Coordinates of all heavy atoms in Angstrom, one line a residue:
D1 N 0.8 -1.2 0.0 CA 0.0 0.0 0.0 C 0.9 1.2 0.0 O 0.5 2.3 -0.6 CB -1.0 0.0 1.2 CG -2.1 -1.0 1.1 OD1 -2.3 -1.4 0.0 OD2 -2.6 -1.4 2.1
F2 N 2.0 1.2 0.7 CA 2.9 2.4 0.7 C 3.4 2.7 -0.7 O 3.4 3.8 -1.2 CB 4.0 2.1 1.6 CG 5.1 3.3 1.7 CD1 4.7 4.5 2.3 CD2 6.3 3.2 1.0 CE1 5.6 5.5 2.3 CE2 7.1 4.2 1.0 CZ 6.9 5.4 1.7
L3 N 3.8 1.6 -1.4 CA 4.3 1.9 -2.8 C 3.2 2.4 -3.7 O 3.4 3.1 -4.6 CB 4.9 0.6 -3.4 CG 6.1 0.1 -2.7 CD1 6.6 -1.3 -3.3 CD2 7.2 1.1 -2.8
D4 N 1.9 2.0 -3.4 CA 0.7 2.5 -4.1 C 0.6 4.0 -3.8 O 0.4 4.8 -4.8 CB -0.5 1.8 -3.7 CG -0.9 0.8 -4.7 OD1 -0.3 0.7 -5.8 OD2 -1.9 0.0 -4.4
L5 N 0.8 4.4 -2.6 CA 0.6 5.8 -2.2 C 1.7 6.6 -2.9 O 1.5 7.8 -3.3 CB 0.8 5.9 -0.7 CG -0.4 5.5 0.2 CD1 0.0 5.5 1.6 CD2 -1.6 6.3 -0.1
V6 N 3.0 6.1 -3.0 CA 4.1 6.8 -3.6 C 3.9 6.9 -5.1 O 4.3 7.8 -5.8 CB 5.4 6.1 -3.3 CG1 6.5 6.6 -4.1 CG2 5.7 6.2 -1.8
G7 N 3.1 5.9 -5.7 CA 3.0 5.8 -7.1 C 4.2 5.2 -7.8 O 4.6 5.6 -8.9
F8 N 4.9 4.3 -7.0 CA 6.1 3.7 -7.5 C 5.7 2.9 -8.8 O 4.7 2.2 -8.8 CB 6.7 2.8 -6.5 CG 8.1 2.5 -6.6 CD1 9.1 3.4 -6.2 CD2 8.5 1.3 -7.3 CE1 10.4 3.1 -6.4 CE2 9.8 1.1 -7.5 CZ 10.8 1.9 -7.1
P9 N 6.5 3.0 -9.9 CA 6.1 2.3 -11.1 C 6.0 0.8 -10.9 O 6.7 0.2 -10.3 CB 7.3 2.6 -12.0 CG 8.0 3.8 -11.4 CD 7.7 3.8 -10.0
L10 N 4.9 0.4 -11.5 CA 4.5 -1.1 -11.3 C 5.7 -2.0 -11.8 O 6.0 -3.0 -11.2 CB 3.2 -1.4 -12.1 CG 2.6 -2.8 -11.7 CD1 2.3 -2.8 -10.2 CD2 1.4 -3.0 -12.6
R11 N 6.3 -1.7 -13.0 CA 7.4 -2.5 -13.5 C 8.5 -2.6 -12.5 O 9.0 -3.6 -12.2 CB 7.8 -1.9 -14.9 CG 6.8 -2.1 -16.0 CD 6.9 -0.9 -17.0 NE 8.3 -0.9 -17.6 CZ 8.7 -1.5 -18.8 NH1 7.7 -2.1 -19.4 NH2 9.9 -1.3 -19.2
A12 N 9.0 -1.4 -12.0 CA 10.1 -1.4 -11.1 C 9.7 -2.0 -9.8 O 10.5 -2.7 -9.1 CB 10.6 0.0 -10.8
R13 N 8.5 -1.9 -9.4 CA 8.0 -2.5 -8.1 C 8.1 -4.0 -8.2 O 8.6 -4.6 -7.3 CB 6.6 -2.1 -7.8 CG 6.0 -2.7 -6.5 CD 4.6 -2.5 -6.3 NE 4.1 -1.1 -6.6 CZ 2.9 -0.7 -6.3 NH1 2.0 -1.6 -5.8 NH2 2.5 0.5 -6.5
H14 N 7.7 -4.6 -9.3 CA 7.7 -6.1 -9.4 C 9.2 -6.6 -9.4 O 9.6 -7.5 -8.8 CB 7.0 -6.5 -10.7 CG 5.5 -6.4 -10.5 ND1 4.9 -6.8 -9.4 CD2 4.6 -6.1 -11.5 CE1 3.6 -6.6 -9.6 NE2 3.4 -6.2 -10.9
L15 N 10.1 -5.8 -10.1 CA 11.4 -6.3 -10.4 C 12.3 -6.0 -9.2 O 13.1 -6.8 -8.8 CB 12.0 -5.6 -11.7 CG 13.2 -6.3 -12.2 CD1 13.0 -7.8 -12.4 CD2 13.7 -5.7 -13.5
A16 N 12.2 -4.8 -8.6 CA 13.2 -4.4 -7.6 C 12.6 -4.6 -6.2 O 13.1 -5.3 -5.4 CB 13.6 -2.9 -7.8
F17 N 11.5 -3.9 -5.9 CA 11.0 -3.9 -4.5 C 10.5 -5.3 -4.1 O 10.7 -5.7 -3.0 CB 9.9 -2.9 -4.3 CG 10.5 -1.5 -3.8 CD1 10.7 -0.5 -4.8 CD2 10.8 -1.3 -2.5 CE1 11.2 0.7 -4.3 CE2 11.3 -0.2 -2.1 CZ 11.5 0.9 -3.0
E18 N 9.8 -6.0 -5.0 CA 9.4 -7.3 -4.6 C 10.5 -8.3 -4.3 O 10.4 -9.1 -3.4 CB 8.4 -7.9 -5.6 CG 7.0 -7.5 -5.5 CD 6.0 -8.4 -6.2 OE1 6.4 -9.5 -6.5 OE2 4.9 -8.0 -6.5
V19 N 11.6 -8.1 -5.0 CA 12.7 -9.0 -4.8 C 13.2 -8.7 -3.3 O 13.6 -9.7 -2.6 CB 13.8 -8.7 -5.8 CG1 15.1 -9.4 -5.4 CG2 13.4 -9.2 -7.1
F20 N 13.3 -7.5 -2.9 CA 13.8 -7.2 -1.6 C 12.8 -7.6 -0.5 O 13.1 -8.2 0.5 CB 14.1 -5.7 -1.5 CG 15.4 -5.3 -2.2 CD1 15.4 -4.5 -3.3 CD2 16.6 -5.8 -1.8 CE1 16.6 -4.1 -3.9 CE2 17.8 -5.5 -2.4 CZ 17.8 -4.7 -3.4
S21 N 11.5 -7.2 -0.7 CA 10.5 -7.4 0.3 C 10.3 -8.9 0.5 O 10.1 -9.3 1.7 CB 9.2 -6.7 -0.1 OG 8.6 -7.3 -1.2
R22 N 10.4 -9.7 -0.5 CA 10.3 -11.1 -0.3 C 11.5 -11.8 0.3 O 11.4 -12.9 0.8 CB 9.9 -11.7 -1.6 CG 8.5 -11.4 -2.1 CD 8.2 -11.9 -3.5 NE 8.1 -13.4 -3.5 CZ 7.0 -14.1 -3.2 NH1 5.9 -13.4 -2.8 NH2 7.0 -15.4 -3.2
S23 N 12.5 -11.0 0.5 CA 13.7 -11.6 1.2 C 13.3 -11.6 2.7 O 14.0 -12.3 3.5 CB 14.9 -10.7 1.0 OG 14.8 -9.4 1.6
F24 N 12.2 -11.0 3.1 CA 11.7 -11.1 4.4 C 10.7 -12.3 4.5 O 10.0 -12.5 5.5 CB 11.0 -9.9 4.9 CG 11.9 -8.7 5.2 CD1 12.2 -7.8 4.3 CD2 12.5 -8.6 6.5 CE1 13.1 -6.7 4.6 CE2 13.3 -7.6 6.8 CZ 13.6 -6.6 5.9
F25 N 10.7 -13.1 3.5 CA 9.8 -14.3 3.4 C 8.3 -14.0 3.6 O 7.6 -14.7 4.2 CB 10.3 -15.3 4.4 CG 11.7 -15.8 4.2 CD1 12.7 -15.1 4.9 CD2 12.0 -16.9 3.4 CE1 14.0 -15.5 4.7 CE2 13.3 -17.3 3.2 CZ 14.3 -16.6 3.9
A26 N 8.0 -12.8 3.1 CA 6.6 -12.3 3.3 C 6.0 -11.7 2.0 O 6.8 -11.2 1.2 CB 6.5 -11.3 4.4
D27 N 4.8 -11.8 1.9 CA 4.1 -11.1 0.8 C 4.1 -9.6 1.1 O 3.8 -9.2 2.2 CB 2.6 -11.6 0.7 CG 1.9 -11.1 -0.5 OD1 1.8 -9.8 -0.7 OD2 1.3 -11.9 -1.3
P28 N 4.4 -8.8 0.1 CA 4.4 -7.3 0.3 C 3.1 -6.8 0.9 O 3.1 -5.7 1.5 CB 4.7 -6.7 -1.1 CG 5.4 -7.8 -1.8 CD 4.8 -9.1 -1.3
K29 N 2.0 -7.4 0.6 CA 0.7 -7.0 1.2 C 0.6 -7.2 2.6 O -0.3 -6.7 3.3 CB -0.4 -7.7 0.4 CG -0.6 -7.3 -1.0 CD -1.7 -8.0 -1.8 CE -1.8 -7.6 -3.2 NZ -2.8 -8.3 -3.9
E30 N 1.4 -8.1 3.2 CA 1.4 -8.4 4.6 C 2.5 -7.7 5.4 O 2.5 -7.6 6.6 CB 1.5 -9.9 4.8 CG 0.4 -10.7 4.1 CD -1.0 -10.4 4.6 OE1 -1.1 -10.1 5.7 OE2 -1.9 -10.4 3.7
L31 N 3.6 -7.4 4.7 CA 4.8 -6.8 5.3 C 4.6 -5.4 5.7 O 4.1 -4.5 5.0 CB 6.0 -6.9 4.3 CG 7.4 -6.4 4.8 CD1 7.9 -7.3 5.9 CD2 8.3 -6.3 3.6
S32 N 5.1 -5.0 6.9 CA 5.1 -3.6 7.4 C 5.9 -2.8 6.4 O 7.0 -3.0 6.1 CB 5.6 -3.5 8.8 OG 5.9 -2.2 9.1
A33 N 5.2 -1.6 6.0 CA 6.0 -0.6 5.3 C 7.2 -0.1 6.0 O 8.2 0.4 5.3 CB 5.1 0.5 4.8
A34 N 7.2 0.0 7.3 CA 8.3 0.4 8.0 C 9.5 -0.4 7.8 O 10.7 0.0 7.7 CB 8.0 0.5 9.6
E35 N 9.3 -1.7 7.8 CA 10.4 -2.7 7.6 C 10.9 -2.5 6.2 O 12.2 -2.6 6.0 CB 9.9 -4.1 7.8 CG 11.0 -5.1 8.3 CD 11.5 -4.8 9.7 OE1 10.8 -4.3 10.5 OE2 12.7 -5.1 9.8
M36 N 10.1 -2.3 5.2 CA 10.5 -2.1 3.9 C 11.3 -0.8 3.7 O 12.4 -0.8 3.1 CB 9.4 -2.1 2.9 CG 9.8 -2.0 1.4 SD 8.5 -1.2 0.4 CE 8.5 0.5 1.0
A37 N 10.9 0.3 4.4 CA 11.6 1.5 4.4 C 12.9 1.4 5.0 O 13.9 2.0 4.6 CB 10.7 2.6 5.1
L38 N 13.1 0.7 6.1 CA 14.3 0.5 6.8 C 15.2 -0.3 5.8 O 16.4 0.0 5.7 CB 14.1 -0.3 8.1 CG 15.3 -0.7 8.9 CD1 16.0 0.6 9.3 CD2 15.0 -1.6 10.1
M39 N 14.7 -1.3 5.1 CA 15.5 -2.0 4.2 C 16.1 -1.1 3.1 O 17.2 -1.2 2.7 CB 14.7 -3.1 3.6 CG 15.3 -3.9 2.4 SD 14.9 -3.0 0.8 CE 13.1 -3.2 0.7
F40 N 15.2 -0.2 2.6 CA 15.6 0.8 1.6 C 16.7 1.6 2.1 O 17.7 2.0 1.3 CB 14.4 1.6 1.2 CG 14.5 2.4 -0.1 CD1 14.6 1.8 -1.3 CD2 14.6 3.8 0.0 CE1 14.7 2.6 -2.4 CE2 14.8 4.6 -1.1 CZ 14.9 4.0 -2.4
H41 N 16.7 2.0 3.3 CA 17.7 2.9 3.9 C 19.0 2.1 4.1 O 20.1 2.6 3.7 CB 17.3 3.3 5.3 CG 18.3 4.1 6.1 ND1 18.6 5.4 5.8 CD2 19.1 3.7 7.1 CE1 19.5 5.8 6.7 NE2 19.9 4.8 7.4
I42 N 18.9 0.8 4.6 CA 20.2 0.1 4.8 C 20.9 -0.2 3.6 O 22.1 -0.1 3.5 CB 19.8 -1.2 5.6 CG1 19.2 -0.9 7.0 CG2 20.9 -2.2 5.6 CD1 18.6 -2.2 7.6
Y43 N 20.2 -0.6 2.5 CA 20.9 -1.1 1.3 C 21.0 -0.1 0.2 O 21.8 -0.3 -0.7 CB 20.1 -2.3 0.8 CG 20.0 -3.5 1.8 CD1 18.8 -3.8 2.4 CD2 21.1 -4.3 2.0 CE1 18.7 -4.8 3.3 CE2 21.1 -5.3 3.0 CZ 19.9 -5.6 3.6 OH 19.8 -6.6 4.5
F44 N 20.2 1.0 0.3 CA 20.2 1.9 -0.8 C 20.5 3.4 -0.5 O 21.6 3.9 -0.9 CB 18.9 1.7 -1.6 CG 18.9 2.1 -3.0 CD1 19.7 1.3 -3.9 CD2 18.1 3.1 -3.5 CE1 19.7 1.6 -5.2 CE2 18.1 3.4 -4.8 CZ 18.9 2.7 -5.7
L45 N 19.6 4.0 0.2 CA 19.7 5.5 0.3 C 20.5 5.8 1.6 O 20.9 7.0 1.7 CB 18.3 6.1 0.4 CG 17.7 6.6 -0.9 CD1 16.5 7.4 -0.7 CD2 18.7 7.4 -1.7
G46 N 20.7 4.9 2.5 CA 21.4 5.3 3.8 C 22.8 4.9 3.8 O 23.5 5.3 4.7

């Protein structure tokens, strides 16, 4: 839902963000957006 709010491109979402979010062994619809944002910080922007 957070990626929907951001309007993150669907193509990039499937290829990049799903690969990362599923590394938590969870469906992105069930995973906390806070955990995904923290992942984005650790591996990418931070």
